[in-house]
């Protein structure tokens, strides 16, 4: 079988308070780190070496997260999105860096750019893929080019995440004004992967992205999500994809998790995923499910 990909929302808690986000204080079920290390060794036995994208909340506030990463990277490759408030030195000492990619998210309301870049530069001494992400929150767009330059001057890629939510009577990301779109595209170029997941109207290259290429309904069509992909929630439960009502795949902590054996028919009228794995449409999605790590 091909490689299996996971998205793991390990918790919903965060130590920052960004005004464009509402982290919850519930930290999820919080199985101990040793249990998670066992779980991922078992997944390796059953499904081979997989790829896990961690998200949250802030993953590093999960107790023992560095130990979890150290255990998981014995078998699998990982990608972590973090606000980088963690102990960078412990991270590079404990984790197999050949199997790590790290997206450091910069949140100007919570950390000074100098302090943030200091941590980025500390990581930059080590040979693994890293980049910086920045939420294109409308009140912050006046400084986006300054931040972009500072990050790029440090030798690190600058990536944009569209803002999801309401601001000043508009709903984003669809509500970006022409001037806002222009500055966003100036900051990240028109090939930014994170802009592919939505259509933002005239002038936005995102409209021409893979989401637009997909047929209008997916209901009843076989999809590899659930066989080659699963989404894990803070309580350890897993679903085949992010669509409302997506099929449940059991619970990793309870030992009931199973991937589907064949591409099962989709149950959703409208698929929310721009890189959903529909057989026959590989040209649209296959290149986005690749993990370019150094050979281990
Ligand atoms: S750092 Fe991330 S998770 Fe934490 S409050 Fe900010 S946007 Fe939310
Ligand atoms: S909603 Fe999309 S990702 Fe989920 S099963 Fe259907 S086609 Fe696949």
């Amino acid at each position: 079988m091909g490689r299996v990909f996971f998205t793991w929302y390990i918790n919903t808690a965060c130590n920052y308070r960004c005004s464009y986000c509402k982290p919850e204080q519930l930290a999820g079920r919080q199985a101990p780190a040793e249990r998670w290390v066992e779980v991922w060794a078992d997944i390796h036995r059953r499904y081979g070496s997989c790829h896990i994208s961690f998200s949250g909340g802030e993953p590093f506030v999960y107790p023992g997260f560095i130990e979890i990463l150290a255990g998981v990277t014995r078998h699998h490759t990982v990608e972590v999105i973090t606000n980088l408030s963690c102990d960078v030195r412990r991270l590079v000492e404990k984790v197999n860096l050949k199997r790590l990619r790290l997206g450091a998210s910069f949140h100007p309301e919570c950390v000074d750019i100098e302090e943030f870049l200091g941590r980025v530069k500390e990581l930059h001494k080590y040979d693994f893929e890293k980049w910086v992400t920045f939420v294109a929150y409308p009140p912050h767009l006046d400084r986006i080019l300054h931040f972009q330059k500072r990050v790029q001057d440090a030798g690190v890629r600058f990536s944009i995440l569209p803002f999801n939510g309401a601001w000043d009577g508009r709903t984003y990301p669809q509500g970006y004004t022409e001037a806002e779109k222009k500055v966003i595209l100036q900051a990240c170029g028109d090939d930014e992967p994170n802009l592919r997941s939505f259509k933002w109207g005239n002038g936005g290259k995102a409209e021409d992205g893979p989401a637009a290429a997909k047929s209008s309904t997916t209901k009843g069509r076989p999809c590899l999500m659930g066989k080659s992909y699963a989404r894990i929630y803070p309580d350890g439960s897993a679903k085949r994809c992010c669509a409302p009502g997506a099929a449940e795949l059991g619970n990793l902590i309870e030992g009931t998790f199973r991937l589907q054996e064949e591409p099962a028919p989709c149950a959703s009228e409208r698929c929310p995923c721009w890189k959903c794995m529909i057989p026959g449409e590989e040209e649209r999605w296959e290149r986005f499910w690749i993990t370019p790590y150094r050979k281990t």
Side-chain angles (χ1 to χ4, degrees):
M1 67 184 280
R3 191 155 215 211
V4 179
F5 292 78
F6 292 88
T7 306
W8 182 3
Y9 289 90
I10 190 165
N11 66 5
T12 52
C14 185
N15 53 338
Y16 282 5
R17 292 289 172 273
C18 304
S19 51
Y20 41 79
C21 175
K22 293 194 174 48
E24 294 167 27
Q25 284 320 292
L26 284 174
R29 185 164 166 174
Q30 298 208 331
E34 311 83 70
R35 174 69 189 128
W36 281 121
V37 171
E38 279 169 20
V39 163
W40 287 102
D42 179 52
I43 295 279
H44 179 245
R45 278 190 290 275
R46 289 194 282 151
Y47 302 119
S49 181
C50 305
H51 178 71
I52 301 131
S53 290
F54 285 92
S55 197
E58 166 52 42
F60 281 91
V61 305
Y62 191 97
F65 185 64
I66 290 182
E67 283 67 32
I68 293 175
L69 277 186
V72 169
T73 54
R74 274 183 223 137
H75 309 290
H76 309 284
T77 56
V78 301
E79 175 177 314
V80 185
I81 305 297
T82 169
N83 62 27
L84 212 55
S85 57
C86 61
D87 182 346
V88 166
R89 205 152 292 164
R90 270 197 77 227
L91 171 74
V92 295
E93 278 168 9
K94 293 244 174 187
V95 175
N96 181 350
L97 298 181
K98 291 179 183 165
R99 295 183 176 175
L100 173 71
R101 302 166 76 195
L102 188 139
S105 52
F106 173 53
H107 301 286
E109 295 170 358
C110 302
V111 63
D112 178 72
I113 182 78
E114 303 305 334
E115 188 183 340
F116 177 78
L117 282 179
R119 292 181 200 146
V120 170
K121 285 175 187 166
E122 178 72 28
L123 282 182
H124 209 35
K125 295 182 201 156
Y126 300 89
D127 181 20
F128 67 98
E129 188 185 346
K130 74 251 341 147
W131 67 98
V132 166
T133 65
F134 183 78
V135 177
Y137 184 46
H140 295 168
L141 293 180
D142 58 343
R143 287 175 291 163
I144 195 169
L145 293 175
H146 167 70
F147 293 140
Q148 174 222 34
K149 181 167 180 348
R150 294 298 313 277
V151 169
Q152 289 181 344
D153 285 351
V156 179
R157 180 164 69 86
F158 185 78
S159 166
I160 302 281
L161 287 172
F163 166 59
N164 270 286
W167 187 78
D168 201 23
R170 299 170 79 94
T171 302
Y172 288 81
Q174 295 81 2
Y176 281 117
T177 65
E178 289 305 315
E180 288 168 343
K181 288 176 206 168
K182 193 171 165 195
V183 74
I184 291 171
L185 288 175
Q186 214 177 328
C188 66
D190 56 18
D191 200 30
E192 168 59 59
N194 295 324
L195 299 182
R196 291 196 177 107
S197 57
F198 70 96
K199 298 181 184 183
W200 63 0
N202 296 336
K205 289 278 182 185
E207 194 171 35
D208 305 324
K214 196 165 60 181
S215 56
S216 56
T217 183
T218 45
K219 191 165 188 174
R221 300 188 67 188
C223 176
L224 281 152
M225 310 291 266
K227 177 178 188 291
S228 298
Y229 174 87
R231 192 173 170 95
I232 308 167
Y233 293 88
D235 65 355
S237 64
K239 294 189 177 184
R240 75 179 294 198
C241 69
C242 64
E248 297 186 3
L249 303 177
N251 186 299
L252 283 90
I253 302 171
E254 293 166 4
T256 55
F257 172 77
R258 297 286 177 278
L259 285 168
Q260 295 171 332
E261 289 181 7
E262 296 300 330
C266 171
S268 301
E269 284 294 344
R270 284 226 157 246
C271 171
C273 179
W274 58 272
K275 49 183 185 175
C276 68
M277 302 169 174
I278 295 187
E281 294 187 6
E282 283 81 359
E283 206 175 315
R284 171 177 54 75
W285 54 263
E286 205 166 40
R287 69 199 154 109
F288 300 111
W289 296 102
I290 287 172
T291 51
Y293 292 82
R294 285 189 292 140
K295 290 253 181 288
T296 53

